[in-house]
Amino acid sequence: MENTFYISGGRGSLGIDLINQLNKENLIIYLQRDPKNRYYVLDKKEILDTAYLLHLASATPHNSKDSMGYMSNPRTLIKAMQYLQKKVANLHVIFTSGMSVYDPKHCVHKITEQTSLKNGRIYRNDYGYSKILCEKLLAKYHKIGLIK
């Protein structure tokens, strides 16, 4: 059975490898952004019943005092989901987070789902904090039924 995957951030090494694997039995559609950072696709398909967003796109915000750069990743995720909610009735989201969401003192040990996350921006790692915000956003969207 062929699934439809919308891919954001498919030009990185992880994206290229995943696309090569998924491309064998699935339809891959690349999400692109215009100069105003709005998502679009080149296909003119009808609204799909079910599809997947494989969200790999990410920025590495600068860590600086009072930086708002950490908000770029949640904003990008929201834009991708809002765009696809108009094209897909049942949107499933696959999101890649990263090791930077964890407290550095735990990173020398085995990381599991029970490993403590960083607490806010205590460690001044805006990238990790942005990923935590994305995870919370996805949990909220899932809870209210906007995504699967």
Side-chain angles (χ1 to χ4, degrees):
M1 178 176 164
E2 183 179 87
N3 292 305
T4 301
F5 285 86
Y6 288 91
I7 309 286
S8 68
R11 293 186 181 146
S13 61
L14 178 60
I16 291 168
D17 288 344
L18 285 171
I19 289 166
N20 285 337
Q21 292 298 313
L22 292 171
N23 212 13
K24 296 173 185 171
E25 297 178 12
N26 301 284
L27 175 62
I28 305 297
I29 301 171
Y30 293 91
L31 281 178
Q32 300 180 42
R33 285 186 267 182
D34 67 13
K36 293 186 178 181
N37 210 24
R38 294 176 298 211
Y39 280 103
Y40 69 96
V41 294
L42 298 176
D43 73 323
K44 302 293 183 201
K45 283 190 161 226
E46 295 178 15
I47 293 178
L48 297 170
D49 178 54
T50 300
Y52 300 84
L53 166 60
L54 180 52
H55 187 66
L56 305 172
S58 185
T60 307
H62 300 293
N63 293 319
S64 62
K65 188 174 182 180
D66 301 321
S67 169
M68 289 299 289
Y70 67 89
M71 288 304 297
S72 64
N73 289 326
R75 275 194 299 263
T76 301
L77 177 59
I78 289 169
K79 286 180 182 181
M81 289 188 300
Q82 287 175 338
Y83 174 76
L84 289 176
Q85 285 169 337
K86 298 172 190 169
K87 299 179 82 52
V88 180
N90 297 296
L91 180 62
H92 298 262
V93 179
I94 301 168
F95 174 74
T96 56
S97 191
M99 288 290 294
S100 57
V101 301
Y102 296 106
D103 186 333
K105 68 182 176 189
H106 294 298
C107 291
V108 296
H109 306 290
K110 182 179 177 183
I111 301 292
T112 68
E113 289 296 316
Q114 289 73 40
T115 303
S116 300
L117 295 176
K118 291 181 181 179
N119 184 9
R121 294 177 69 201
I122 264 178
Y123 299 102
R124 300 300 301 159
N125 183 322
D126 288 347
Y127 177 74
Y129 185 59
S130 74
K131 291 294 192 168
I132 290 170
L133 291 176
C134 288
E135 291 175 12
K136 289 179 179 181
L137 176 71
L138 288 168
K140 178 181 176 182
Y141 271 50
H142 183 265
K143 185 176 182 177
I144 61 177
L146 291 176
I147 61 171
K148 305 293 179 206

